[in-house]
Amino acid sequence: MLDGFVSWPEHLAEEYRRTGYWLGRPLGDLLHESCARHADRVAVVCGERRMTYAELSRAANRMAYGLLELGVKPLDRVVVQLPNVPEFVVLLFALLRAGAIPVLALPGHRRAEITSVHAHAGAVAYAIKDEFGGFDYRGLARELPSPGHVLVSGEAQEFIALDTLEGASGSCPRPTRAIRRCSCCPAGRPGCPS
């Protein structure tokens, strides 16, 4: 179990496993399998924009390599404060493929919440939308004591644009045992990695 992780109450975890909500497998692996099985189907819809599973898989791989080249390592935490946009989905799966841990923050969080979340998580990066709902998240990033890499969906200004995070092809690390079982698959459970 990862340090600082609070596990689900055992009765809920057992029910989630029994009903099939928790399969004891990494989310990134499930996406990879869905991409292979449904490559030409639409996976993401945002307004007029459509992304197939194959396109999502390729984009997540490219971004995962870019994150690794940037210096984000397996088990590093990255605070993700993006609204429901395609870049959120791509980044989430890229982080999982790179072995990093996404720490999700709500778009409504401001300086106090993000500073606290970032510090408690020990995050090495902060991913944001340039502007959303009339709020400029880049200004918030500038106010943080030490945000690490600031990754921006949209106009990045002095920060790193998410759409430029495309590393050279290579292999992403396999998730460590701690990542594979951190949320729903404690050691010793049948069918779970130990």
Side-chain angles (χ1 to χ4, degrees):
M1 186 80 58
L2 294 172
D3 287 339
F5 177 78
V6 177
S7 59
W8 284 87
E10 187 55 37
H11 72 282
L12 290 177
E14 187 57 44
E15 175 153 343
Y16 293 163
R17 284 186 210 92
R18 185 178 47 74
T19 57
Y21 296 141
W22 285 354
L23 302 177
R25 298 176 43 227
L27 187 56
D29 287 357
L30 296 173
L31 172 73
H32 186 72
E33 291 169 14
S34 291
C35 289
R37 196 170 38 253
H38 308 293
D40 296 328
R41 288 187 178 171
V42 175
V44 177
V45 176
C46 185
E48 296 299 313
R49 187 171 170 195
R50 303 281 188 270
M51 183 181 287
T52 66
Y53 280 95
E55 292 166 336
L56 174 58
S57 183
R58 284 191 298 275
N61 278 342
R62 285 192 306 269
M63 190 176 286
Y65 301 136
L67 288 163
L68 291 166
E69 288 179 2
L70 188 62
V72 175
K73 300 181 296 297
L75 297 180
D76 279 350
R77 276 94 168 158
V78 175
V79 174
V80 179
Q81 189 181 23
L82 289 169
N84 291 333
V85 294
E87 293 79 14
F88 170 80
V89 179
V90 173
L91 177 61
L92 180 67
F93 285 110
L95 289 167
L96 294 173
R97 287 190 180 175
I101 301 170
V103 178
L104 305 179
L106 297 172
H109 287 162
R110 296 298 183 255
R111 188 175 195 270
E113 294 92 353
I114 295 300
T115 299
S116 178
V117 166
H118 205 284
H120 280 83
V124 301
Y126 176 42
I128 55 174
K129 182 85 174 105
D130 53 0
E131 295 179 3
F132 180 74
F135 184 77
D136 188 335
Y137 289 87
R138 296 163 299 191
L140 176 57
R142 289 182 194 103
E143 294 177 15
L144 296 178
S146 53
H149 301 291
V150 177
L151 314 171
V152 181
S153 169
E155 180 58 46
Q157 294 178 350
E158 73 269 26
F159 302 119
I160 301 166
L162 270 176
D163 62 5
T164 65
L165 263 183
E166 293 190 7
S169 291
S171 61
C172 290
R174 292 292 302 150
T176 67
R177 187 171 30 234
I179 290 174
R180 288 194 309 264
R181 67 171 202 249
C182 70
S183 63
C184 61
C185 202
R189 289 268 177 218
C192 294
S194 54

mmCIF file of all heavy atoms in Angstrom, residues 132-170:
data_model
loop_
_atom_site.group_PDB
_atom_site.id
_atom_site.type_symbol
_atom_site.label_atom_id
_atom_site.label_comp_id
_atom_site.label_asym_id
_atom_site.label_seq_id
_atom_site.Cartn_x
_atom_site.Cartn_y
_atom_site.Cartn_z
ATOM 1 N N PHE A 132 -11.193 28.874 -17.622
ATOM 2 C CA PHE A 132 -12.429 28.101 -17.620
ATOM 3 C C PHE A 132 -13.408 28.764 -16.670
ATOM 4 O O PHE A 132 -13.037 29.136 -15.556
ATOM 5 C CB PHE A 132 -12.172 26.653 -17.184
ATOM 6 C CG PHE A 132 -13.404 25.801 -17.164
ATOM 7 C CD1 PHE A 132 -13.986 25.365 -18.345
ATOM 8 C CD2 PHE A 132 -14.007 25.457 -15.964
ATOM 9 C CE1 PHE A 132 -15.129 24.581 -18.335
ATOM 10 C CE2 PHE A 132 -15.152 24.674 -15.940
ATOM 11 C CZ PHE A 132 -15.715 24.240 -17.127
ATOM 12 N N GLY A 133 -14.642 28.929 -17.112
ATOM 13 C CA GLY A 133 -15.671 29.531 -16.267
ATOM 14 C C GLY A 133 -15.322 30.933 -15.808
ATOM 15 O O GLY A 133 -15.674 31.326 -14.696
ATOM 16 N N GLY A 134 -14.596 31.675 -16.653
ATOM 17 C CA GLY A 134 -14.226 33.043 -16.310
ATOM 18 C C GLY A 134 -13.034 33.154 -15.371
ATOM 19 O O GLY A 134 -12.719 34.246 -14.892
ATOM 20 N N PHE A 135 -12.345 32.047 -15.100
ATOM 21 C CA PHE A 135 -11.193 32.071 -14.188
ATOM 22 C C PHE A 135 -9.933 31.684 -14.945
ATOM 23 O O PHE A 135 -9.927 30.726 -15.709
ATOM 24 C CB PHE A 135 -11.424 31.101 -13.020
ATOM 25 C CG PHE A 135 -10.344 31.140 -11.990
ATOM 26 C CD1 PHE A 135 -10.280 32.175 -11.066
ATOM 27 C CD2 PHE A 135 -9.380 30.147 -11.935
ATOM 28 C CE1 PHE A 135 -9.280 32.216 -10.107
ATOM 29 C CE2 PHE A 135 -8.372 30.171 -10.979
ATOM 30 C CZ PHE A 135 -8.327 31.215 -10.068
ATOM 31 N N ASP A 136 -8.839 32.429 -14.716
ATOM 32 C CA ASP A 136 -7.550 32.152 -15.354
ATOM 33 C C ASP A 136 -6.695 31.318 -14.399
ATOM 34 O O ASP A 136 -6.188 31.820 -13.393
ATOM 35 C CB ASP A 136 -6.836 33.460 -15.698
ATOM 36 C CG ASP A 136 -5.588 33.265 -16.526
ATOM 37 O OD1 ASP A 136 -4.984 32.170 -16.475
ATOM 38 O OD2 ASP A 136 -5.197 34.205 -17.230
ATOM 39 N N TYR A 137 -6.549 30.035 -14.715
ATOM 40 C CA TYR A 137 -5.806 29.110 -13.854
ATOM 41 C C TYR A 137 -4.303 29.345 -13.908
ATOM 42 O O TYR A 137 -3.585 28.950 -12.992
ATOM 43 C CB TYR A 137 -6.149 27.663 -14.219
ATOM 44 C CG TYR A 137 -7.553 27.311 -13.801
ATOM 45 C CD1 TYR A 137 -8.636 27.561 -14.648
ATOM 46 C CD2 TYR A 137 -7.816 26.772 -12.557
ATOM 47 C CE1 TYR A 137 -9.935 27.279 -14.253
ATOM 48 C CE2 TYR A 137 -9.109 26.490 -12.149
ATOM 49 C CZ TYR A 137 -10.162 26.746 -13.008
ATOM 50 O OH TYR A 137 -11.440 26.474 -12.601
ATOM 51 N N ARG A 138 -3.820 29.992 -14.957
ATOM 52 C CA ARG A 138 -2.390 30.304 -15.021
ATOM 53 C C ARG A 138 -2.011 31.276 -13.906
ATOM 54 O O ARG A 138 -0.939 31.166 -13.317
ATOM 55 C CB ARG A 138 -2.040 30.870 -16.394
ATOM 56 C CG ARG A 138 -2.255 29.850 -17.515
ATOM 57 C CD ARG A 138 -2.300 30.499 -18.861
ATOM 58 N NE ARG A 138 -3.431 31.447 -18.889
ATOM 59 C CZ ARG A 138 -3.885 32.033 -19.975
ATOM 60 N NH1 ARG A 138 -3.315 31.799 -21.133
ATOM 61 N NH2 ARG A 138 -4.900 32.874 -19.925
ATOM 62 N N GLY A 139 -2.907 32.211 -13.615
ATOM 63 C CA GLY A 139 -2.665 33.133 -12.501
ATOM 64 C C GLY A 139 -2.571 32.394 -11.185
ATOM 65 O O GLY A 139 -1.729 32.702 -10.339
ATOM 66 N N LEU A 140 -3.420 31.400 -10.999
ATOM 67 C CA LEU A 140 -3.365 30.568 -9.801
ATOM 68 C C LEU A 140 -2.031 29.826 -9.734
ATOM 69 O O LEU A 140 -1.393 29.771 -8.676
ATOM 70 C CB LEU A 140 -4.532 29.576 -9.785
ATOM 71 C CG LEU A 140 -4.581 28.557 -8.654
ATOM 72 C CD1 LEU A 140 -4.576 29.225 -7.286
ATOM 73 C CD2 LEU A 140 -5.796 27.670 -8.815
ATOM 74 N N ALA A 141 -1.594 29.278 -10.861
ATOM 75 C CA ALA A 141 -0.309 28.557 -10.881
ATOM 76 C C ALA A 141 0.839 29.474 -10.483
ATOM 77 O O ALA A 141 1.765 29.045 -9.783
ATOM 78 C CB ALA A 141 -0.064 27.967 -12.273
ATOM 79 N N ARG A 142 0.770 30.731 -10.899
ATOM 80 C CA ARG A 142 1.835 31.689 -10.551
ATOM 81 C C ARG A 142 1.866 31.981 -9.054
ATOM 82 O O ARG A 142 2.897 32.365 -8.520
ATOM 83 C CB ARG A 142 1.634 32.985 -11.327
ATOM 84 C CG ARG A 142 1.911 32.865 -12.797
ATOM 85 C CD ARG A 142 1.731 34.221 -13.515
ATOM 86 N NE ARG A 142 1.681 33.990 -14.940
ATOM 87 C CZ ARG A 142 0.552 34.005 -15.681
ATOM 88 N NH1 ARG A 142 -0.608 34.284 -15.123
ATOM 89 N NH2 ARG A 142 0.614 33.765 -16.970
ATOM 90 N N GLU A 143 0.736 31.813 -8.378
ATOM 91 C CA GLU A 143 0.647 32.102 -6.939
ATOM 92 C C GLU A 143 1.124 30.939 -6.066
ATOM 93 O O GLU A 143 1.351 31.130 -4.872
ATOM 94 C CB GLU A 143 -0.799 32.419 -6.552
ATOM 95 C CG GLU A 143 -1.350 33.680 -7.149
ATOM 96 C CD GLU A 143 -2.814 33.890 -6.780
ATOM 97 O OE1 GLU A 143 -3.313 33.208 -5.844
ATOM 98 O OE2 GLU A 143 -3.463 34.716 -7.436
ATOM 99 N N LEU A 144 1.237 29.747 -6.635
ATOM 100 C CA LEU A 144 1.614 28.589 -5.829
ATOM 101 C C LEU A 144 3.082 28.669 -5.432
ATOM 102 O O LEU A 144 3.931 29.082 -6.230
ATOM 103 C CB LEU A 144 1.342 27.298 -6.600
ATOM 104 C CG LEU A 144 -0.124 27.025 -6.932
ATOM 105 C CD1 LEU A 144 -0.248 25.737 -7.733
ATOM 106 C CD2 LEU A 144 -0.971 26.962 -5.677
ATOM 107 N N PRO A 145 3.404 28.229 -4.204
ATOM 108 C CA PRO A 145 4.792 28.310 -3.735
ATOM 109 C C PRO A 145 5.779 27.557 -4.628
ATOM 110 O O PRO A 145 6.829 28.081 -4.964
ATOM 111 C CB PRO A 145 4.743 27.687 -2.343
ATOM 112 C CG PRO A 145 3.316 27.687 -1.945
ATOM 113 C CD PRO A 145 2.503 27.702 -3.198
ATOM 114 N N SER A 146 5.477 26.330 -5.001
ATOM 115 C CA SER A 146 6.382 25.575 -5.879
ATOM 116 C C SER A 146 5.562 24.523 -6.628
ATOM 117 O O SER A 146 5.493 23.375 -6.215
ATOM 118 C CB SER A 146 7.516 24.922 -5.087
ATOM 119 O OG SER A 146 6.992 24.150 -4.039
ATOM 120 N N PRO A 147 4.948 24.937 -7.740
ATOM 121 C CA PRO A 147 4.045 24.024 -8.445
ATOM 122 C C PRO A 147 4.731 22.930 -9.263
ATOM 123 O O PRO A 147 4.077 22.022 -9.738
ATOM 124 C CB PRO A 147 3.264 24.964 -9.364
ATOM 125 C CG PRO A 147 4.220 26.075 -9.631
ATOM 126 C CD PRO A 147 4.999 26.246 -8.355
ATOM 127 N N GLY A 148 6.047 23.002 -9.401
ATOM 128 C CA GLY A 148 6.727 22.052 -10.282
ATOM 129 C C GLY A 148 6.411 22.416 -11.721
ATOM 130 O O GLY A 148 6.211 23.583 -12.058
ATOM 131 N N HIS A 149 6.339 21.417 -12.594
ATOM 132 C CA HIS A 149 5.983 21.667 -13.988
ATOM 133 C C HIS A 149 4.514 22.070 -14.053
ATOM 134 O O HIS A 149 3.657 21.387 -13.484
ATOM 135 C CB HIS A 149 6.180 20.409 -14.832
ATOM 136 C CG HIS A 149 7.579 19.888 -14.829
ATOM 137 N ND1 HIS A 149 8.627 20.543 -15.425
ATOM 138 C CD2 HIS A 149 8.097 18.766 -14.273
ATOM 139 C CE1 HIS A 149 9.732 19.845 -15.258
ATOM 140 N NE2 HIS A 149 9.438 18.761 -14.554
ATOM 141 N N VAL A 150 4.225 23.157 -14.753
ATOM 142 C CA VAL A 150 2.834 23.564 -14.946
ATOM 143 C C VAL A 150 2.463 23.226 -16.389
ATOM 144 O O VAL A 150 3.067 23.722 -17.337
ATOM 145 C CB VAL A 150 2.623 25.063 -14.655
ATOM 146 C CG1 VAL A 150 1.176 25.463 -14.945
ATOM 147 C CG2 VAL A 150 2.990 25.376 -13.202
ATOM 148 N N LEU A 151 1.485 22.346 -16.537
ATOM 149 C CA LEU A 151 1.042 21.836 -17.831
ATOM 150 C C LEU A 151 -0.321 22.448 -18.134
ATOM 151 O O LEU A 151 -1.244 22.324 -17.335
ATOM 152 C CB LEU A 151 0.940 20.315 -17.788
ATOM 153 C CG LEU A 151 2.122 19.588 -17.142
ATOM 154 C CD1 LEU A 151 1.801 18.106 -16.956
ATOM 155 C CD2 LEU A 151 3.378 19.791 -17.957
ATOM 156 N N VAL A 152 -0.441 23.108 -19.297
ATOM 157 C CA VAL A 152 -1.642 23.880 -19.585
ATOM 158 C C VAL A 152 -2.345 23.387 -20.839
ATOM 159 O O VAL A 152 -1.723 23.241 -21.890
ATOM 160 C CB VAL A 152 -1.307 25.379 -19.744
ATOM 161 C CG1 VAL A 152 -2.565 26.191 -20.030
ATOM 162 C CG2 VAL A 152 -0.597 25.909 -18.503
ATOM 163 N N SER A 153 -3.645 23.165 -20.708
ATOM 164 C CA SER A 153 -4.503 22.901 -21.862
ATOM 165 C C SER A 153 -4.971 24.255 -22.367
ATOM 166 O O SER A 153 -5.667 24.975 -21.658
ATOM 167 C CB SER A 153 -5.706 22.043 -21.436
ATOM 168 O OG SER A 153 -6.653 22.004 -22.473
ATOM 169 N N GLY A 154 -4.547 24.605 -23.583
ATOM 170 C CA GLY A 154 -4.883 25.919 -24.138
ATOM 171 C C GLY A 154 -3.641 26.776 -24.258
ATOM 172 O O GLY A 154 -2.533 26.270 -24.449
ATOM 173 N N GLU A 155 -3.813 28.078 -24.117
ATOM 174 C CA GLU A 155 -2.712 29.038 -24.236
ATOM 175 C C GLU A 155 -1.822 28.956 -23.001
ATOM 176 O O GLU A 155 -2.198 29.386 -21.919
ATOM 177 C CB GLU A 155 -3.280 30.456 -24.414
ATOM 178 C CG GLU A 155 -2.243 31.525 -24.550
ATOM 179 C CD GLU A 155 -1.291 31.297 -25.714
ATOM 180 O OE1 GLU A 155 -1.765 30.966 -26.816
ATOM 181 O OE2 GLU A 155 -0.055 31.432 -25.515
ATOM 182 N N ALA A 156 -0.619 28.420 -23.180
ATOM 183 C CA ALA A 156 0.249 28.113 -22.037
ATOM 184 C C ALA A 156 1.002 29.314 -21.482
ATOM 185 O O ALA A 156 1.403 29.301 -20.321
ATOM 186 C CB ALA A 156 1.250 27.023 -22.425
ATOM 187 N N GLN A 157 1.226 30.332 -22.287
ATOM 188 C CA GLN A 157 2.071 31.460 -21.904
ATOM 189 C C GLN A 157 3.446 30.935 -21.508
ATOM 190 O O GLN A 157 4.061 30.227 -22.284
ATOM 191 C CB GLN A 157 1.386 32.325 -20.854
ATOM 192 C CG GLN A 157 0.142 33.002 -21.397
ATOM 193 C CD GLN A 157 -0.601 33.836 -20.392
ATOM 194 O OE1 GLN A 157 -0.334 33.816 -19.187
ATOM 195 N NE2 GLN A 157 -1.583 34.593 -20.880
ATOM 196 N N GLU A 158 3.923 31.214 -20.281
ATOM 197 C CA GLU A 158 5.277 30.784 -19.911
ATOM 198 C C GLU A 158 5.353 29.331 -19.466
ATOM 199 O O GLU A 158 6.431 28.822 -19.161
ATOM 200 C CB GLU A 158 5.854 31.689 -18.804
ATOM 201 C CG GLU A 158 5.247 31.479 -17.426
ATOM 202 C CD GLU A 158 4.043 32.363 -17.124
ATOM 203 O OE1 GLU A 158 3.340 32.792 -18.068
ATOM 204 O OE2 GLU A 158 3.813 32.619 -15.938
ATOM 205 N N PHE A 159 4.229 28.643 -19.436
ATOM 206 C CA PHE A 159 4.178 27.270 -18.962
ATOM 207 C C PHE A 159 4.282 26.276 -20.129
ATOM 208 O O PHE A 159 4.515 26.664 -21.260
ATOM 209 C CB PHE A 159 2.902 27.047 -18.148
ATOM 210 C CG PHE A 159 2.786 27.973 -16.968
ATOM 211 C CD1 PHE A 159 1.728 28.862 -16.868
ATOM 212 C CD2 PHE A 159 3.736 27.976 -15.951
ATOM 213 C CE1 PHE A 159 1.616 29.728 -15.784
ATOM 214 C CE2 PHE A 159 3.640 28.821 -14.868
ATOM 215 C CZ PHE A 159 2.571 29.706 -14.778
ATOM 216 N N ILE A 160 4.092 25.013 -19.859
ATOM 217 C CA ILE A 160 4.213 23.956 -20.866
ATOM 218 C C ILE A 160 2.833 23.622 -21.414
ATOM 219 O O ILE A 160 1.916 23.297 -20.662
ATOM 220 C CB ILE A 160 4.848 22.684 -20.247
ATOM 221 C CG1 ILE A 160 6.235 23.003 -19.690
ATOM 222 C CG2 ILE A 160 4.900 21.551 -21.271
ATOM 223 C CD1 ILE A 160 6.792 21.929 -18.766
ATOM 224 N N ALA A 161 2.682 23.717 -22.723
ATOM 225 C CA ALA A 161 1.405 23.385 -23.359
ATOM 226 C C ALA A 161 1.241 21.862 -23.387
ATOM 227 O O ALA A 161 2.138 21.149 -23.842
ATOM 228 C CB ALA A 161 1.351 23.952 -24.768
ATOM 229 N N LEU A 162 0.095 21.386 -22.914
ATOM 230 C CA LEU A 162 -0.159 19.943 -22.916
ATOM 231 C C LEU A 162 -0.042 19.346 -24.309
ATOM 232 O O LEU A 162 0.480 18.247 -24.473
ATOM 233 C CB LEU A 162 -1.564 19.646 -22.371
ATOM 234 C CG LEU A 162 -1.696 19.426 -20.884
ATOM 235 C CD1 LEU A 162 -3.151 19.245 -20.498
ATOM 236 C CD2 LEU A 162 -0.876 18.254 -20.422
ATOM 237 N N ASP A 163 -0.503 20.078 -25.321
ATOM 238 C CA ASP A 163 -0.479 19.515 -26.674
ATOM 239 C C ASP A 163 0.919 19.455 -27.279
ATOM 240 O O ASP A 163 1.105 18.923 -28.365
ATOM 241 C CB ASP A 163 -1.461 20.226 -27.603
ATOM 242 C CG ASP A 163 -1.140 21.702 -27.804
ATOM 243 O OD1 ASP A 163 -0.098 22.189 -27.312
ATOM 244 O OD2 ASP A 163 -1.957 22.381 -28.455
ATOM 245 N N THR A 164 1.923 19.959 -26.565
ATOM 246 C CA THR A 164 3.308 19.823 -27.041
ATOM 247 C C THR A 164 4.048 18.705 -26.325
ATOM 248 O O THR A 164 5.202 18.429 -26.640
ATOM 249 C CB THR A 164 4.106 21.139 -26.856
ATOM 250 O OG1 THR A 164 4.230 21.427 -25.455
ATOM 251 C CG2 THR A 164 3.435 22.286 -27.579
ATOM 252 N N LEU A 165 3.399 18.073 -25.357
ATOM 253 C CA LEU A 165 4.026 16.990 -24.602
ATOM 254 C C LEU A 165 3.962 15.697 -25.396
ATOM 255 O O LEU A 165 3.116 14.845 -25.157
ATOM 256 C CB LEU A 165 3.303 16.784 -23.273
ATOM 257 C CG LEU A 165 3.886 17.438 -22.053
ATOM 258 C CD1 LEU A 165 3.084 17.057 -20.828
ATOM 259 C CD2 LEU A 165 5.332 17.115 -21.857
ATOM 260 N N GLU A 166 4.819 15.567 -26.345
ATOM 261 C CA GLU A 166 4.863 14.355 -27.152
ATOM 262 C C GLU A 166 6.289 13.860 -27.179
ATOM 263 O O GLU A 166 7.136 14.429 -27.845
ATOM 264 C CB GLU A 166 4.363 14.627 -28.570
ATOM 265 C CG GLU A 166 2.897 14.965 -28.629
ATOM 266 C CD GLU A 166 2.362 15.000 -30.047
ATOM 267 O OE1 GLU A 166 3.091 14.632 -30.979
ATOM 268 O OE2 GLU A 166 1.208 15.399 -30.191
ATOM 269 N N GLY A 167 6.547 12.827 -26.445
ATOM 270 C CA GLY A 167 7.882 12.267 -26.398
ATOM 271 C C GLY A 167 8.111 11.282 -27.528
ATOM 272 O O GLY A 167 7.195 10.912 -28.259
ATOM 273 N N ALA A 168 9.358 10.897 -27.662
ATOM 274 C CA ALA A 168 9.715 9.871 -28.637
ATOM 275 C C ALA A 168 9.112 8.549 -28.197
ATOM 276 O O ALA A 168 8.940 8.303 -27.007
ATOM 277 C CB ALA A 168 11.235 9.757 -28.736
ATOM 278 N N SER A 169 8.791 7.727 -29.155
ATOM 279 C CA SER A 169 8.238 6.413 -28.807
ATOM 280 C C SER A 169 9.239 5.625 -27.991
ATOM 281 O O SER A 169 10.437 5.762 -28.143
ATOM 282 C CB SER A 169 7.877 5.638 -30.072
ATOM 283 O OG SER A 169 6.788 6.257 -30.699
ATOM 284 N N GLY A 170 8.728 4.821 -27.158
ATOM 285 C CA GLY A 170 9.538 3.972 -26.298
ATOM 286 C C GLY A 170 8.586 3.111 -25.516
ATOM 287 O O GLY A 170 7.441 2.931 -25.903
#
